[in-house]
Structure formats: structure tokens, C-alpha cells
Amino acid sequence: MRKKMMGVLGAVALAGVAFTSAPAVAAPAATASSGQVSTLAACQGEKIKARESVKIRKTKSVSGTALGLFPKGKAGCSLKNEKAKWYDDKCGQGSDQWDYISYNGTKGWVPTTCIVLA
């Protein structure tokens, strides 16, 4: 029996698995649909979802620097809405409305036509 146990432990060691007596630390709760940590509980604005995948921009302009991506179907938080330069055909519509959002730690502007209330 001891030989079998040593064989198993040796295989575990070769696989790079370590056993420790340290207490387990619970990971932050993940959302069921996204698999990422949910920041929506701390949302200080309106809870939103992306209608289509859209770039989060530094300024209220389709040519503004892209800071990240707000993927289709993912949830975020809209912190404010403002008018700016007209944009054509973003997510199927044109408008002059932009939302300042927070998604997965990134804050920036997206066309309002690309989001819906969650």
C-alpha cells in the first residue's frame, strides 16, 4: 500500500501539483453568464448590456483612442449620457448620444445605440 501511495505522490510531484496546509481563500463571486467578477453590485449608474461588441473610447468620437472592448451581451454600468458629434450606423443606428460606461475596470465612452438597459 505504501509503495502505491508513493507512486501516486511521485506522479503528482512530476505533474507539478503541490499540496499545502494553507487555508483556502475564497475567490470573488463570478457572474453566472460571464465567468468574470461582477462589478454591477457597485454600479453607481444604470446597469446596461452591450447590444453588439463595441470599442470603449477615451473621447466621445468614433475616432477617439480605443481603451478596450465592451463585448456583445456582457453587462456594465452607464455612469452618464451626453450629446456629442453625430455618428453614422453604430450598432444599426446613427445618433449623437454617447454613454460614459464602466466595464471590467475600463471606463470610457460608447455610442448609446450600442447598449441596452440590463
Side-chain angles (χ1 to χ4, degrees):
M1 178 76 160
R2 186 170 165 85
K3 253 187 176 180
K4 275 188 180 180
M5 197 61 164
M6 291 303 288
V8 169
L9 291 176
V12 169
L14 286 175
V17 177
F19 294 98
T20 66
S21 61
V25 178
T31 58
S33 62
S34 68
Q36 66 189 351
V37 176
S38 173
T39 57
L40 290 183
C43 181
Q44 298 297 311
E46 293 184 295
K47 294 176 183 177
I48 57 167
K49 282 191 176 182
R51 290 178 61 199
E52 300 292 333
S53 291
V54 61
K55 291 178 183 174
I56 302 170
R57 300 200 178 267
K58 187 174 183 177
T59 60
K60 296 175 277 187
S61 169
V62 293
S63 60
T65 302
L67 302 173
L69 185 70
F70 188 25
K72 180 179 181 177
K74 298 297 180 179
C77 184
S78 175
L79 304 171
K80 63 181 168 181
N81 176 275
E82 293 182 5
K83 283 189 175 188
K85 187 177 177 185
W86 183 267
Y87 53 85
D88 291 320
D89 198 25
K90 293 295 168 200
C91 302
Q93 299 173 342
S95 180
D96 61 356
Q97 296 293 309
W98 289 80
D99 275 71
Y100 188 74
I101 71 159
S102 175
Y103 169 71
N104 205 22
T106 302
K107 291 182 180 179
W109 296 95
V110 297
T112 299
T113 56
C114 295
I115 61 173
V116 294
L117 294 177

